[in-house]
Amino acid sequence: MGSGTKIIVASFFITILSPLLTAGHSSDLFPAVDGWTIVKEETVYTPGNLWDVIDGAAELYLSYGFVDLSIAEYQKPQVAGIRVELYRHKSSPDAFGIYSAERNPEYRFLEIGTEGYAEEGVLNFLSGVYYVKISTYQKGEAARAAMLSIGQEVERHLKQPTWWPSPLALFPEAGKESRSESYIGVNFLGYAFLHSAYTARYSKPAPLSLFLIDLGTPQQARQMLDKYLESLHQKVASRPGETFLISDPNNGPLTVLLKDQYLCGAYNSSDQKAREEALVELRKSLSGNRRP
Amino acid sequence: MTNSELNRRAFIKSSIAGAALLATPTLSYLGVQGKATANGSGKPITRPLGNTGIQLPIVSMGVMRADNPGLVRSALQAGFVHLDTAHAYQKGKNEQMLGEVLKDYPRESFVIATKIPPDDRESFLAKLDTSLERLKMKYVDILYLHGLSSKEDVLSADQLDTLKAAKESGKARFVGVSTHKNEPEVILAAIESGVYNVVLTSVNFKQDHYSDVRAAIAKAAEAGIGIVAMKTMAGGFFDKEKTKPVNCKAALKWVLQDGNVTTAIPGITTFDMLAENASVNQDLTMTDKEKGDLALGHSEPGLYCQGCERCVPHCPERLPIPDIMRSYMYAHGYNNAAMAQTLLAELQLPSHPCADCTECQVTCAKGFRVAERIADVTRLTSVPAEFLSGGIIV
C-alpha cells in the first residue's frame, strides 16, 4: 500500500470508519452457526430510522444512548427463521437501562450474557453494550433450543464483558425485590437535571424504592441536589452523611442522602420511618465502598 | 439564560442559511387555519375526533416510559385527557403502569389508546386481552393496528375482520391504524376501507412530502376519520450530531395549525415538557421567534436525497449526483461504509470525480454541499474492501 493510500485510509478512519471500529460492522457481528445460513438485513438502523423497525418504542431506546441496530435472520430448510437483533448502545449502563426497562421479574431467566430470559418464541439478553433480541415464529422445545444455541454463539462472538454495572452492588440485599434494579439515564423522576440514576425496589421495611446516583465528586453531587431543591423552591439544612426530607409535589415525599460522590434517596412510600431505615442501610453499604 | 435560549443562540449562530430562508414556502400556510388559536378562557382548545363523538384537547400525552407514574397523574390534573401507549412498549410495563395509575380515575374521565401490530386473528385478540388485563380495563377507547406502511396492509381483509371483531366484542370502542411511513397511502387506504375511525400518523414540519400528508389528512377528516399526530418534533434535532435542537413547542404548534388534526401525542418525560405542552393546549398562536426557529431548521439539509435530479444538468461531468448522495447517506446516516462503497463501485466513479473542476456549478434543491459530500464519500473508492467488511473490525 502506497503512502498516499495510507493517508487516505487514515483520514477516512477518522471521519467515517471510526464509529464502525468501536461498533463492529454488521458483516462481522453475526457468527456462523453450523447448519444455519445467515441472511443479513442491508440497513443498519440508526437513531434517525429506528422508528422503521420498532415504531414508537424507539423513543425509549433513544433515551438510552442507542447507537445502531443490526439485524440478521438465521435460516434452515423446513424450519422457521430465527431473527437476531443487536441493539448497540453507547455504554454498558445504557444497555442495562433499556434491558431492565423491559425486564419482568416473572420471566424464566437464563445464564447467557450478563443475564437473559426466554419466553415462547423469544430470547433476550444483555451483553455489554449490546441488548440482544432473538425471536422466531416457531414454537416448542426445538425452537427454544435453536434460539439458545444461536444466542450463545452470538454472545461468544460479541466478546463483551458479562459483569453488571458496579453501582448495582451498592444496593443492600435485605428486602430488595429480585431483579427490580433499573437504570434511568435521563429525566429521572421527571426532571431533566436528574440523570444517571440506578434504582431498586424494596418490599421491606415497607414497599419503597431507592435511588443512587454516582456523580463522581462530592461537589457535583451537591450541585445536583441544589438544582433539585432550587426547582422545588426549598431550602434544606442538609449535611453530608445525614438523611433529610424533601417534599416534592410531583413525586411525593423523599428522604435523601448526600454521601461522598453519591446522591441517594428513598421514595415511592409515604412511610417516613421506613424510608429513613432503608437509606441508613444504603449509607452503610456506601461506607464500605469509599473510593480511594 | 435558560438552556433553551442557549440552544437557540447556538442554533442561529451555526445555521448556514441564515434569516434569508425565514419565508420557507413550506411554512406559508401558517395562520390559514390558525384562527381561534387562543381561547383565553383557561380551558383547553378541543377538537372532535372525527365522527367518534369524542372531543379531545389538541395536545395529548404519548406515554413513553413506565418509570414515572407521577407524570401521568400530573398530566391528568393539568387537563390532559388522551393517553397513548402500545402493547409492546417496555414489553407491557408501560400499559401496566398506566393500569396502576388509571384504576383510581373514573373510566369516562380519560381516553386511552393502545396499539397492536398485525397478527393472525387469534394472536391479535389474545394480545388485546393481555393489554386490557395490564390496563385493568374492560375496553380501550382506540385500538390501533400498529405501524402500517402500505395500502395492501391497511386493506388486508383478515386484519379488518379482526379489528371489527375487537370492536364488536366491546373491547375497543373505536379502531384505527398507525403509520410513520408512506403516510398518504395509508391514510387514503384507511378512508377506502370504511372501517377505521382514527388514523395516528407522523406529521411534522420537516417532512419533504408534507403537502401530500396534509392533503390526505384533509380527505380523512372530510370522511369523518379522526387524525392524531405523532413525531411532531421531527426527531428533536436538526443534525446527526445533536447540536441543533428543534424548538419542540413551535413544532407542535405548527402541526396543530391544521384544523383537521384533532390532537397530537408528543412523548412527555419531564414535568417541564408537560407544562410546556399544557400551555399549547391553551394557546396555539405562534410567535415570530417560533416561526423563525422552524424556518431556520427547515433549511437544514439533512442526509436524505430526494432524487429530484435537478442538480444533474449543472454538473459538467454529468455525475450521478443523486446516487452519490445516497452513498453519502449510507456512510454517514447508516454508518454502513461497505454499503456506500458497493454503491460507488456500481457507479464506476474515479477516485476524484471532481478533479477537473475548480469550482462546483451544482446547486442542490435541498441545500446539500454537493462537492463537499462527493469529495468526502468518494474517498471510499480508495479504501481496500477488507477494511470495511472484515478482518480488523472487532
Side-chain angles (χ1 to χ4, degrees):
Chain A
M1 188 186 295
S3 60
T5 306
K6 282 178 184 170
I7 291 168
I8 289 169
V9 170
S11 63
F12 175 71
F13 276 2
I14 294 166
T15 56
I16 296 181
L17 196 55
S18 52
L20 303 178
L21 284 171
T22 53
H25 187 276
S26 65
S27 309
D28 309 297
L29 289 172
F30 299 100
V33 179
D34 280 350
W36 295 86
T37 305
I38 307 172
V39 179
K40 292 164 201 151
E41 251 193 48
E42 197 177 59
T43 302
V44 176
Y45 295 91
T46 59
N49 61 357
L50 183 61
W51 303 85
D52 292 346
V53 192
I54 57 172
D55 304 305
E59 191 127 348
L60 189 69
Y61 282 68
L62 299 184
S63 75
Y64 281 108
F66 168 79
V67 176
D68 57 26
L69 163 64
S70 302
I71 301 173
E73 184 168 289
Y74 284 74
Q75 296 179 345
K76 185 188 263 191
Q78 315 300 324
V79 175
I82 292 182
R83 179 180 167 96
V84 178
E85 300 176 353
L86 303 177
Y87 295 82
R88 182 167 64 106
H89 292 259
K90 279 182 183 161
S91 67
S92 299
D94 281 323
F96 166 70
I98 188 66
Y99 169 79
S100 62
E102 297 189 341
R103 175 178 64 174
N104 190 317
E106 291 165 9
Y107 292 145
R108 191 164 62 87
F109 287 89
L110 304 170
E111 284 187 15
I112 181 169
T114 307
E115 182 187 88
Y117 56 84
E119 298 174 279
E120 187 73 78
V122 171
L123 169 64
N124 294 345
F125 65 94
L126 173 67
S127 182
V129 297
Y130 288 95
Y131 180 19
V132 182
K133 292 187 166 188
I134 302 177
S135 59
T136 180
Y137 288 115
Q138 199 181 337
K139 294 181 177 174
E141 188 51 43
R144 245 193 316 272
M147 283 197 298
L148 184 58
S149 164
I150 289 171
Q152 286 166 336
E153 287 295 337
V154 169
E155 185 213 347
R156 273 193 285 274
H157 190 73
L158 291 175
K159 296 188 176 83
Q160 294 288 305
T162 56
W163 52 80
W164 295 100
S166 55
L168 294 177
L170 297 171
F171 285 114
E173 283 301 320
K176 188 172 69 177
E177 292 181 17
S178 174
R179 295 188 168 95
S180 67
E181 300 91 340
S182 70
Y183 173 73
I184 315 292
V186 296
N187 300 340
F188 177 55
L189 293 177
Y191 299 112
F193 50 80
L194 296 182
H195 56 82
S196 313
Y198 290 90
T199 72
R201 281 197 312 276
Y202 283 76
S203 55
K204 293 176 184 173
L208 55 78
S209 302
L210 287 180
F211 75 82
L212 170 68
I213 304 175
D214 182 350
L215 276 305
T217 68
Q219 292 76 17
Q220 285 176 311
R222 177 85 239 179
Q223 280 172 12
M224 182 179 272
L225 173 63
D226 287 345
K227 277 187 190 167
Y228 189 16
L229 292 172
E230 190 184 328
S231 77
L232 299 173
H233 307 291
Q234 286 182 33
K235 286 186 179 173
V236 177
S238 63
R239 282 190 297 188
E242 290 184 1
T243 62
F244 56 95
L245 185 69
I246 288 181
S247 180
D248 182 338
N250 294 316
N251 294 292
L254 294 89
T255 304
V256 175
L257 168 70
L258 202 56
K259 172 136 183 71
D260 303 325
Q261 74 271 27
Y262 299 106
L263 176 61
C264 330
Y267 63 114
N268 282 343
S269 169
S270 57
D271 186 336
Q272 185 174 346
K273 189 166 172 249
R275 293 199 310 269
E276 281 184 7
E277 276 180 38
L279 215 44
V280 166
E281 289 304 310
L282 179 55
R283 182 171 57 198
K284 285 182 197 166
S285 174
L286 295 177
S287 298
N289 282 275
R290 189 186 295 273
R291 280 185 182 173
Chain B
M1 188 182 292
T2 65
N3 280 343
S4 58
E5 284 168 338
L6 279 171
N7 290 338
R8 158 90 178 133
R9 288 190 171 201
F11 172 61
I12 291 172
K13 197 176 172 185
S14 60
S15 170
I16 54 167
L21 287 161
L22 278 171
T24 305
T26 317
L27 301 178
S28 62
Y29 86 93
L30 281 173
V32 172
Q33 294 198 36
K35 296 168 190 170
T37 53
N39 58 21
S41 65
K43 290 181 182 172
I45 304 165
T46 62
R47 289 176 183 166
L49 183 67
N51 289 343
T52 63
I54 295 174
Q55 192 83 9
L56 291 178
I58 54 173
V59 184
S60 300
M61 182 180 192
V63 183
M64 304 317 302
R65 286 173 30 177
D67 60 271
N68 196 346
L71 264 177
V72 178
R73 291 193 190 94
S74 295
L76 293 170
Q77 197 175 348
F80 284 69
V81 172
H82 177 37
L83 306 167
D84 181 275
T85 181
H87 181 86
Y89 289 176
Q90 290 106 68
K91 286 182 72 66
K93 287 163 102 174
N94 198 291
E95 289 181 332
Q96 278 174 348
M97 180 275 284
L98 280 171
E100 277 303 310
V101 171
L102 295 173
K103 67 180 168 49
D104 298 330
Y105 291 78
R107 181 62 187 84
E108 302 74 28
S109 67
F110 57 86
V111 170
I112 190 142
T114 196
K115 319 179 199 80
I116 300 174
D119 210 333
D120 64 74
R121 181 189 175 102
E122 189 185 348
S123 301
F124 185 94
L125 294 176
K127 284 176 183 168
L128 174 58
D129 286 341
T130 302
S131 285
L132 290 173
E133 195 177 318
R134 293 169 181 160
L135 289 163
K136 302 182 193 298
M137 292 170 198
K138 290 181 179 166
Y139 65 89
V140 291
D141 298 284
I142 308 168
L143 172 64
Y144 291 110
L145 202 52
H146 197 177
L148 301 196
S149 57
S150 72
K151 178 179 178 177
E152 187 188 356
D153 288 344
V154 176
L155 295 177
S156 155
D158 288 345
Q159 296 300 334
L160 291 177
D161 284 346
T162 302
L163 287 176
K164 284 179 194 167
K167 204 170 167 180
E168 283 162 9
S169 71
K171 293 174 182 174
R173 285 177 70 200
F174 302 103
V175 295
V177 57
S178 76
T179 176
H180 53 89
K181 202 173 179 183
N182 298 333
E183 302 91 343
E185 180 179 320
V186 169
I187 296 169
L188 295 176
I191 301 169
E192 187 182 329
S193 75
V195 171
Y196 299 95
N197 309 108
V198 186
V199 171
L200 170 60
T201 179
S202 293
V203 51
N204 62 64
F205 72 103
K206 287 285 283 179
Q207 282 174 318
D208 294 324
H209 59 307
Y210 174 71
S211 59
D212 294 337
V213 175
R214 187 160 193 251
I217 285 174
K219 285 183 183 168
E222 197 181 333
I225 292 177
I227 298 292
V228 180
M230 64 174 168
K231 291 171 80 174
T232 56
M233 279 62 162
F237 290 89
F238 290 115
D239 58 335
K240 66 181 194 290
E241 294 81 14
K242 296 192 173 183
T243 59
K244 299 171 185 171
V246 168
N247 180 334
C248 292
K249 186 175 177 180
L252 177 60
K253 284 183 177 178
W254 189 89
V255 166
L256 291 168
Q257 301 299 310
D258 181 352
N260 290 322
V261 174
T262 305
T263 190
I265 53 162
I268 297 175
T269 57
T270 70
F271 293 102
D272 284 345
M273 281 184 210
L274 185 61
E276 189 169 86
N277 289 330
S279 74
V280 175
N281 255 335
Q282 303 285 336
D283 186 359
L284 257 182
T285 312
M286 291 193 75
T287 64
D288 288 343
K289 176 185 175 300
E290 287 171 336
K291 290 176 191 173
D293 282 353
L294 295 192
L296 280 169
H298 200 272
S299 70
E300 289 296 318
L303 291 168
Y304 180 67
C305 170
Q306 297 181 91
C308 69
E309 299 196 337
R310 274 182 275 174
C311 54
V312 176
H314 304 162
C315 175
E317 298 294 324
R318 293 289 186 271
L319 292 173
I321 295 170
D323 292 323
I324 303 174
M325 294 302 104
R326 191 150 52 91
S327 69
Y328 184 90
M329 181 180 72
Y330 290 158
H332 291 287
Y334 294 178
N335 278 354
N336 194 334
M339 194 169 153
Q341 190 187 51
T342 302
L343 176 57
L344 291 170
E346 285 170 8
L347 299 174
Q348 297 183 327
L349 293 172
S351 298
H352 302 287
C354 300
D356 292 339
C357 288
T358 52
E359 193 177 343
C360 185
Q361 305 298 315
V362 172
T363 305
C364 169
K366 282 198 73 176
F368 288 177
R369 293 178 176 182
V370 171
E372 225 171 76
R373 292 189 179 200
I374 291 175
D376 182 298
V377 75
T378 52
R379 287 178 300 152
L380 275 170
T381 58
S382 307
V383 178
E386 63 266 27
F387 278 83
L388 304 179
S389 58
I392 63 165
I393 298 165
V394 179

